[in-house]
C-alpha cells in the first residue's frame, strides 16, 4: 500500500513572517510521515510526501495579489511558478512499484526556490 501526503516546503524547510500556524502544521505533517512510515513498514505500506513550493493554484492567489507572480518568480531559480501538473509526476512515482523501497521521505518540488543562501543570489 501507499500513503502519499501533500505538504509544503513552508514549515519543514523554510518559513516567512505571518506563516506561523501554517508552517507549524506542515512541520507536524513531516513528523506524522516519519512515524507512520516506521509503524506501517512491516505491513508493506509506504508513507511519503510531496512538498510543493510556489505552485500556481488558487491557494497562491493572495500572495500573487500582494507581490505579483513576476516578483515571486524572480526569487525562484527556475524563474517561474510551478504548474499543478508538475506535482503529478512525483506522486505517480510514489504510488508506483518503482518506489516500493522509499518510505518516510519527502520530495520537494519547488523549482529550486529553497536553494539560494540569500535572495540576492537568486538572480
Amino acid at each position: 500500500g501507499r500513503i502519499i501526503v501533500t505538504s509544503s516546503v513552508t514549515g519543514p524547510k523554510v518559513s516567512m513572517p505571518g506563516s506561523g500556524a501554517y508552517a507549524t502544521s506542515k512541520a507536524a505533517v513531516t513528523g506524522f510521515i516519519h512515524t507512520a512510515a516506521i509503524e506501517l513498514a512491516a505491513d508493506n505500506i509506504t508513507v511519503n510526501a510531496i512538498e510543493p513550493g510556489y505552485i500556481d493554484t488558487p491557494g497562491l492567489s493572495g500572495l500573487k495579489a500582494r507581490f505579483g507572480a513576476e516578483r515571486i518568480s524572480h526569487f525562484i531559480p527556475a524563474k517561474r511558478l510551478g504548474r499543478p501538473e508538475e506535482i503529478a509526476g512525483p506522486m505517480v512515482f510514489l504510488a508506483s512499484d518503482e518506489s516500493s523501497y522509499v518510505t518516510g521521505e519527502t520530495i520537494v518540488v519547488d523549482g529550486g526556490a529553497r536553494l539560494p543562501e540569500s535572495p540576492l543570489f537568486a538572480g
Side-chain angles (χ1 to χ4, degrees):
R2 304 281 185 267
I3 297 173
I4 305 167
V5 178
T6 304
S7 187
S8 176
V9 294
T10 303
K13 306 279 192 286
V14 298
S15 196
M16 65 180 81
S19 69
Y22 181 84
T24 300
S25 70
K26 296 304 181 179
V29 168
T30 301
F32 163 77
I33 290 163
H34 293 166
T35 302
I38 291 168
E39 293 175 352
L40 298 172
D43 295 319
N44 200 30
I45 298 170
T46 65
V47 184
N48 296 291
I50 302 295
E51 291 181 347
Y54 295 109
I55 306 299
D56 198 3
T57 64
L60 196 63
S61 63
L63 210 56
K64 283 172 39 180
R66 183 172 176 196
F67 297 107
E70 289 179 15
R71 183 170 177 208
I72 296 167
S73 296
H74 176 77
F75 294 102
I76 301 171
K79 298 298 181 205
R80 65 178 179 81
L81 300 176
R83 297 181 310 271
E85 57 269 20
E86 292 176 301
I87 303 302
M91 288 219 170
V92 169
F93 167 71
L94 290 176
S96 74
D97 289 339
E98 285 78 17
S99 72
S100 62
Y101 202 56
V102 177
T103 194
E105 295 299 328
T106 59
I107 298 175
V108 174
V109 182
D110 73 348
R114 69 181 178 88
L115 295 175
E117 184 174 327
S118 167
L120 298 175
F121 298 106

